[in-house]
Amino acid sequence: MNALFEKLFRLNDHQTTVGKESLAGVISFLSIVYIIAVNSTILSDAGIPLEAGIFATVASAFVGCVIMAFWANAPLILVPGMGINALFTYTMVQSMGLSWQEGLLAVVISGFLFIALAFSRLSAKIVSSIPHSLKEAITVGVGLFLTFIGLQKGKLVVPSENTFVALGDLSDPFVISTLLTLIITIVLFIRNVKGNFLLSMIAGSVLAFLLGVRSGAEKGQSAGSVNDFFSSFGTLSFGAIGDVAFWAAVFSLTMVLIFENIGLLHGQLGMMNQGSKFPRAFQATAASALLSGVFGTSPTVSSVEGASGIAAGGRTGLTSLITGVLFLSSLLFIPFIKLVPDSAIAPILIVIGALMIQNIKNINLQDLTEGFPAFLIIALIPLTYSIADGIAFGFIAYPLLKLFLGKMREVSMFMYVSALLFFLNFVLHYIA
């Protein structure tokens, strides 16, 4: 077996062993396994049955990790991305009016576009043409959006007619459970405990049970049949393919996919001085994103948590293969995953949001031609409840400010075209 792994993954060339790679794969899995419950819960807000969301999350993670293992031979973990799942559910479906079946078709088409770019020479040019400040602002804005969603799911803030949102009822057992779980989540994360999010989710579920809080499954809201597990597989709808909103969703999703994955892949491959693997890793990520729509979930991305496996010594695709196999085995624990309440999931969203917000330090806020468009993205993503609209305002404002201040040469042609497309999208929406 060792000889086979050596032949497939060139372990000696990477100065690693089967033992090191296996341990790194287990650590990566424990760091990211929480995504099964979190992603399926967010997908359920789009109307996808919880069981189908769990299956789609596991299947896409397994296939994505296998593709990364054998095509790129990199220890990177592909799972449905936080932020992109919010874009799918809360922007494309809830705000833009697509059904989840139409949204999955948009995921597949975005995947095709992503693949076309990944296998061409245009990717490097497009990456360099997007201002650094806007890339960072998207991350920060999505972080605030996830935080807001987490606060809502945990009932720490509730809708209010007078003030938009108001503080939740602190005497509510659900809110108490959320707050206690949030404290546990923060402490475990700060202390860098292995599998911190998984442990906090388990602890939060136990606390919720002790306080009398029940998940939707326990209340009988998600008691589905076996067929429900596969109800989103291959369920694509072409009903909105002629609508402006559909293509606006495809455009926005493709942009976010490209920007986010480029940043993640460069960062993680840089940790190992394996930058030469970027082209194939980028291509593997694109193929996995396309297949995600077929399986019935929002697109996969290279997870930040995969860095834990790299830190543990993972250097080849064997790490991601081990993680993928562990994801597949987690299907045996679906009955337990369905019992996780929102009060145990909300704190994870809040902490992830806090981590993403830290990127604001990389934005030059002193130069308002850079800082103000970034500010628009950061503010409008959560306030409009739309990642796409927030990005659009920033991408339109950036070239306009540069143009009016005589700095038009600082803007790439791609940015001018993108601004025009975003503007036309707003105009067409207004006319419609």
Side-chain angles (χ1 to χ4, degrees):
M1 184 64 73
N2 284 1
L4 177 61
F5 286 146
E6 169 60 32
K7 181 179 180 181
L8 290 172
F9 302 110
R10 306 193 311 277
L11 302 180
N12 289 333
D13 292 347
H14 291 82
Q15 299 180 338
T16 186
T17 64
V18 172
K20 287 182 180 179
E21 296 293 301
S22 298
L23 177 61
V26 172
I27 290 175
S28 290
F29 174 74
L30 292 176
S31 298
I32 193 59
V33 66
Y34 72 88
I35 197 67
I36 300 174
V38 175
N39 188 61
S40 57
T41 299
I42 290 177
L43 292 178
S44 69
D45 287 345
I48 296 177
L50 183 64
E51 295 86 352
I54 293 173
F55 170 79
T57 302
V58 170
S60 60
F62 167 69
V63 172
C65 288
V66 169
I67 293 174
M68 181 63 73
F70 290 106
W71 182 249
N73 193 22
L76 308 179
I77 310 306
L78 298 180
V79 298
M82 295 300 299
I84 292 184
N85 52 12
L87 170 61
F88 176 86
T89 293
Y90 304 110
T91 298
M92 293 168 56
V93 175
Q94 293 188 4
S95 296
M96 295 179 132
L98 301 181
S99 67
W100 61 264
Q101 296 91 339
E102 293 163 347
L104 291 178
L105 177 62
V107 172
V108 171
I109 294 176
S110 294
F112 274 117
L113 296 174
F114 191 3
I115 288 176
L117 175 67
F119 281 86
S120 74
R121 298 180 179 179
L122 289 175
S123 56
K125 293 182 179 180
I126 291 179
V127 173
S128 61
S129 67
I130 306 298
H132 177 76
S133 59
L134 300 190
K135 295 176 187 176
E136 299 289 355
I138 292 171
T139 301
V140 177
V142 171
L144 282 174
F145 192 30
L146 287 177
T147 300
F148 186 41
I149 292 170
L151 291 172
Q152 289 179 305
K153 279 192 171 297
K155 296 184 180 179
L156 297 179
V157 297
V158 295
S160 172
E161 293 183 2
N162 298 324
T163 59
F164 182 54
V165 294
L167 188 65
D169 182 3
L170 298 181
S171 64
D172 183 347
F174 189 101
V175 176
I176 295 173
S177 177
T178 300
L179 288 171
L180 293 175
T181 306
L182 179 59
I183 294 172
I184 293 172
T185 304
I186 294 172
V187 170
L188 290 175
F189 185 83
I190 292 176
R191 294 183 66 87
N192 199 28
V193 176
K194 300 294 184 183
N196 42 59
F197 285 156
L198 173 62
L199 293 176
S200 73
M201 193 163 59
I202 294 173
S205 299
V206 172
L207 275 172
F209 177 80
L210 295 176
L211 292 171
V213 176
R214 298 293 181 263
S215 69
E218 289 179 285
K219 295 174 183 177
Q221 297 174 3
S222 302
S225 65
V226 174
N227 290 333
D228 285 334
F229 287 100
F230 308 101
S231 59
S232 66
F233 181 82
T235 308
L236 310 176
S237 172
F238 290 79
I241 199 166
D243 296 345
V244 173
F246 177 83
W247 292 105
V250 169
F251 177 71
S252 301
L253 183 59
T254 304
M255 296 277 279
V256 174
L257 272 175
I258 293 169
F259 300 154
E260 182 166 346
N261 280 297
I262 285 171
L264 288 168
L265 292 174
H266 269 303
Q268 293 180 3
L269 291 172
M271 290 176 63
M272 307 172 289
N273 294 318
Q274 294 186 9
S276 61
K277 292 184 178 181
F278 177 83
R280 281 193 167 237
F282 197 49
Q283 292 161 3
T285 305
S288 177
L290 185 154
L291 292 173
S292 299
V294 177
F295 285 121
T297 180
S298 53
T300 52
V301 302
S302 179
S303 73
V304 175
E305 289 80 1
S308 63
I310 295 172
R315 291 296 180 269
T316 74
L318 182 54
T319 292
S320 53
L321 178 62
I322 295 295
T323 303
V325 171
L326 289 174
F327 262 110
L328 191 62
S329 67
S330 67
L331 288 173
L332 299 173
F333 303 98
I334 284 179
F336 299 100
I337 296 171
K338 290 169 60 180
L339 297 179
V340 179
D342 281 352
S343 61
I345 292 173
I348 295 175
L349 296 177
I350 295 170
V351 173
I352 291 175
L355 296 176
M356 296 174 75
I357 289 171
Q358 295 179 37
N359 285 50
I360 197 169
K361 66 179 181 291
N362 300 324
I363 301 174
N364 181 12
L365 297 173
Q366 301 301 316
D367 180 358
L368 284 183
T369 63
E370 298 284 336
F372 188 73
F375 164 74
L376 288 178
I377 292 176
I378 294 169
L380 290 174
I381 285 179
L383 291 179
T384 62
Y385 220 70
S386 170
I387 296 173
D389 287 347
I391 293 175
F393 275 101
F395 271 59
I396 292 172
Y398 187 89
L400 285 178
L401 283 176
K402 294 289 187 180
L403 183 63
F404 292 152
L405 294 176
K407 298 181 179 181
M408 59 182 299
R409 292 185 179 180
E410 296 181 10
V411 183
S412 66
M413 182 56 64
F414 177 79
M415 281 300 299
Y416 284 117
V417 173
S418 297
L420 179 61
L421 290 175
F422 276 123
F423 178 75
L424 290 176
N425 178 50
F426 281 137
V427 171
L428 290 173
H429 267 296
Y430 177 77
I431 294 175

